[in-house]
Amino acid sequence: MSASTPSRRRGRPAPPRPAAPPESARTTFRPTRLAAVLFALSLPLALLVVTTWPGAWYVSFYWPILVLAFGAADLSMARPGSQLAVDLLAPGRIFLGRPEAAGITLQSPADPRPLRITALLELTGPAEAARPVSGLMTGGRLELNAPIEPTRRGRLDLAALWLRWRGPLGLVELRRRQSLAGSLDVLPDTRTLARETLPFFDRDALIGLKSQRLQGEGAEFDKLGDYTPGRDYRFIDWKRSARHRKLLVKEFRQERNHQIVLGFDTGHLMLEPVEGLPKLDHAIRAGLQLAWLSLRGGDLVGGCGFDAHFRSFIQPGRGSTHFGQFQRFTADLDYRTEETNFTLGLAELGSRLRRRALVILFTEFVDPISAELLVESLARLTRRHLVVCVTLRDSLLADLTAAPPDDFAKVAGAVIADGFARERAIVLERVARLGVHVLETPVRELAPALLNRYLMIKQRGLL
C-alpha cells in the first residue's frame, strides 16, 4: 500500500486516498464450530465403544486423531495469509450525516480457487461500530466496501484491517490482522455551503465567475462619480468639482487582503447540545461558511482553538487550497470538559497576530462572574484588532420566561430565567461598549447573521 496526500477543494469531499503502509500483518488460525462439534463427538463414541467392546477401548482414540488429522490437512490446504495482497482506499475526509465507505481490494494470484473472505475495518474514534463485509474471491481478486459512519466531528484513526477465511474442509478458520497508520477527518456537512453562501455575493455572481469591484466605504480609491441626493457629502471632491463645474464624489472599492481570524472556544460550555449538536459544531459550521466567503473575496483566513490551554493555531492564508487546510484545522478541534481561560487564550492569540485583523470569537458564558475575565481580555484585544463576539441565544431561557404562570413552579422558573437573561444582557452591553461587535442569534440564524456582519464591516471599511 502506498501513501498519498488528498487534494482538498472548496467544500467538496476529497478523493479517495490509499491508506498508509501497514506496520505489521499477523495471521492466526483456530478451529471452526464444525471442528469443535466433530471433536466433541469423540466422547459419546468412546463411551459407546467401552460399553460395547471393552477389549477394543483403544479404538475410541481413532476418532479424535482422525479429526485432528483432517484439521491439519485443512490447514495445509488453506490459503496462507502471505498470498493475500491487500490495498485499502479510504476517503480523505468525511462529513457528518453522510456515510462513506473504504474500498478494500484483495488479490491472490498464486491460487485462483474461489474463496469466501470476510473483512472488518477497525476504527478508533467517533464512529458507529464497524460492520463486517464479505464476498467470494474468484479469479484471484475481490473488491469490498467497508462502511464508515461517523457519529460526531473529530478524527477517525484507521487502526487495523481484519480478514477472515476458512480452509477447503471448513475445519480451520484463518484470521489476519493488518495494522494501519492512517486517519480520516470528520467535518460538519458542507455539501450545501456554496449554495447557501452564493446569495451573499454580488448579483453578477449568479451568472458566472468574473472579476468584481465591490463598492463600499473602503480606503481604496476607485473612481469619481456624479453626486446624487442622498450620497455622503463628505466624499465630495471640491477641487475637481470646481474644475468640471458640477459636484463629483469619490467612489471607493472594498479592500482585500484583510486578515480574518476565527477563534473557537472549546471549553465545557460549548459542549451544550442545541438541536442535536454541540454549540461548538454549530460555530464551526458557521465559521466554515465565513471562511469560504472570505477566501473567495480575497481575504486571508486563520483560526485558533483554546480552553484551559491554547490548543491550536493556523496562520492566515489565502486561496482555495487554504480552505482544505482550514477544514483540517476545524477537524482537530476536540471536545473539552475544562473551563475556558480567556486571559491565556486571547493573550496568546494577540501575540501571534502581527497586523490588524478581524477576530471573530465564538464563545459562551453563564454569569457575570465567569464573564469578567472575558470582558477584560476583549478590552486588551480591541486596542489593536477589530473583534466580533458571537454567542448563541439560549431558547430555553426564552421558553421559561414566556411560559404561562399556571403553577408556582413555572412562575419560579420564569423569574430565574429572566434573571439570567438580564445578567447576560448586562455582560453583552459591557462588551459592546468596548467597541466589540456583539452577535447573539439563534442557532438557525447564526450563519446568515455572521456573514451579513462580515459584509457590513467590509463595506464600511472598519478594518
Side-chain angles (χ1 to χ4, degrees):
M1 286 180 272
S2 59
S4 64
T5 303
S7 63
R8 301 180 183 272
R9 301 178 180 177
R10 297 189 299 267
R12 301 177 182 176
R17 61 178 176 183
E23 298 177 354
S24 62
R26 182 183 60 183
T27 303
T28 59
F29 68 92
R30 69 174 189 176
T32 63
R33 182 177 300 179
L34 176 61
V37 171
L38 292 177
F39 191 84
L41 288 177
S42 61
L43 181 58
L45 290 177
L47 294 176
L48 180 62
V49 171
V50 170
T51 55
T52 307
W53 302 287
W57 57 269
Y58 54 88
V59 179
S60 61
F61 291 101
Y62 290 170
W63 180 261
I65 293 176
L66 185 63
V67 174
L68 292 177
F70 274 97
D74 192 26
L75 179 61
S76 64
M77 293 185 296
R79 191 82 52 93
S82 58
Q83 293 184 2
L84 289 177
V86 182
D87 187 16
L88 178 64
L89 201 63
R93 56 177 179 263
I94 54 182
F95 300 99
L96 283 175
R98 186 181 181 183
E100 294 284 350
I104 303 173
T105 303
L106 306 176
Q107 294 182 352
S108 179
D111 193 346
R113 293 178 299 173
L115 180 65
R116 179 163 294 277
I117 298 180
T118 301
L120 177 66
L121 189 61
E122 182 181 342
L123 302 173
T124 303
E128 296 286 349
R131 299 192 304 269
V133 291
S134 61
L136 184 63
M137 174 183 286
T138 56
R141 182 181 177 86
L142 174 62
E143 295 183 357
L144 299 172
N145 290 321
I148 303 176
E149 300 181 6
T151 56
R152 67 177 188 179
R153 183 190 50 79
R155 175 167 294 182
L156 288 177
D157 294 326
L158 301 176
L161 177 65
W162 290 84
L163 300 176
R164 182 180 65 192
W165 68 98
R166 293 185 177 184
L169 303 179
L171 300 177
V172 177
E173 181 180 87
L174 286 82
R175 292 187 175 187
R176 176 181 176 181
R177 185 185 187 276
Q178 186 161 324
S179 300
L180 303 174
S183 61
L184 309 174
D185 297 330
V186 182
L187 305 172
D189 191 357
T190 56
R191 290 174 293 177
T192 60
L193 186 145
R195 186 175 70 249
E196 295 174 357
T197 313
L198 187 60
F200 291 89
F201 284 100
D202 188 80
R203 61 183 180 88
D204 292 337
L206 298 175
I207 303 175
L209 297 177
K210 59 176 66 177
S211 177
Q212 300 180 21
R213 294 184 178 181
L214 303 180
Q215 300 297 325
E217 300 177 6
E220 188 173 352
F221 176 76
D222 184 27
K223 62 181 179 180
L224 288 174
D226 294 334
Y227 176 81
T228 56
R231 304 191 68 170
D232 195 338
Y233 65 87
R234 294 176 300 173
F235 298 138
I236 297 177
D237 191 329
W238 297 105
K239 183 181 296 186
R240 289 176 175 79
S241 297
R243 182 182 305 172
H244 293 277
R245 297 183 179 181
K246 63 178 181 179
L247 292 178
L248 299 176
V249 295
K250 295 180 180 179
E251 296 182 357
F252 300 87
R253 72 181 67 169
Q254 292 184 13
E255 297 178 80
R256 301 193 177 194
N257 297 324
H258 291 303
Q259 283 193 356
I260 314 299
V261 180
L262 306 179
F264 296 97
D265 177 5
T266 59
H268 68 97
L269 292 179
M270 295 295 287
L271 299 184
E272 180 184 355
V274 178
E275 296 188 2
L277 288 177
K279 291 183 177 180
L280 179 59
D281 286 351
H282 291 292
I284 288 177
R285 174 167 173 76
L288 287 174
Q289 284 190 266
L290 178 61
W292 192 84
L293 178 66
S294 302
L295 292 173
R296 288 288 302 272
D299 288 331
L300 290 79
V301 176
C304 72
F306 64 93
D307 43 82
H309 305 280
F310 195 84
R311 300 292 181 180
S312 56
F313 179 77
I314 178 173
Q315 287 286 351
R318 63 163 54 89
S320 58
T321 57
H322 183 71
F323 184 74
Q325 301 176 13
F326 190 82
Q327 281 187 306
R328 187 175 182 85
F329 157 76
T330 58
D332 292 335
L333 295 175
D334 201 358
Y335 302 93
R336 304 285 180 176
T337 58
E338 303 174 354
E339 187 175 357
T340 304
N341 188 338
F342 294 105
T343 303
L344 174 63
L346 296 182
E348 180 67 20
L349 174 61
S351 65
R352 298 196 181 201
L353 299 178
R354 303 302 180 187
R355 48 177 284 201
R356 180 175 170 83
L358 172 60
V359 179
I360 301 176
L361 176 63
F362 298 91
T363 186
E364 191 55 77
F365 60 91
V366 292
D367 55 78
I369 299 177
S370 62
E372 190 65 33
L373 293 177
L374 171 62
V375 175
E376 295 178 1
S377 301
L378 289 177
R380 289 190 293 267
L381 193 63
T382 51
R383 296 171 186 172
R384 185 179 179 186
H385 307 283
L386 181 64
V387 183
V388 177
C389 183
V390 182
T391 61
L392 292 176
R393 185 174 300 165
D394 194 348
S395 59
L396 178 61
L397 294 179
D399 295 340
L400 291 176
T401 305
D406 298 336
D407 51 32
F408 180 78
K410 291 185 178 181
V411 174
V415 172
I416 295 175
D418 183 69
F420 276 114
R422 289 177 178 272
E423 293 178 352
R424 186 180 182 86
I426 292 174
V427 173
L428 295 179
E429 179 66 24
R430 291 182 57 193
V431 172
R433 290 181 179 180
L434 297 175
V436 177
H437 291 254
V438 176
L439 191 61
E440 185 188 21
T441 63
V443 171
R444 297 183 180 181
E445 302 176 9
L446 175 59
L450 181 60
L451 297 181
N452 284 323
R453 184 62 59 93
Y454 163 75
L455 293 177
M456 183 271 292
I457 291 175
K458 289 270 293 182
Q459 183 179 13
R460 294 184 179 180
L462 301 180
L463 278 174

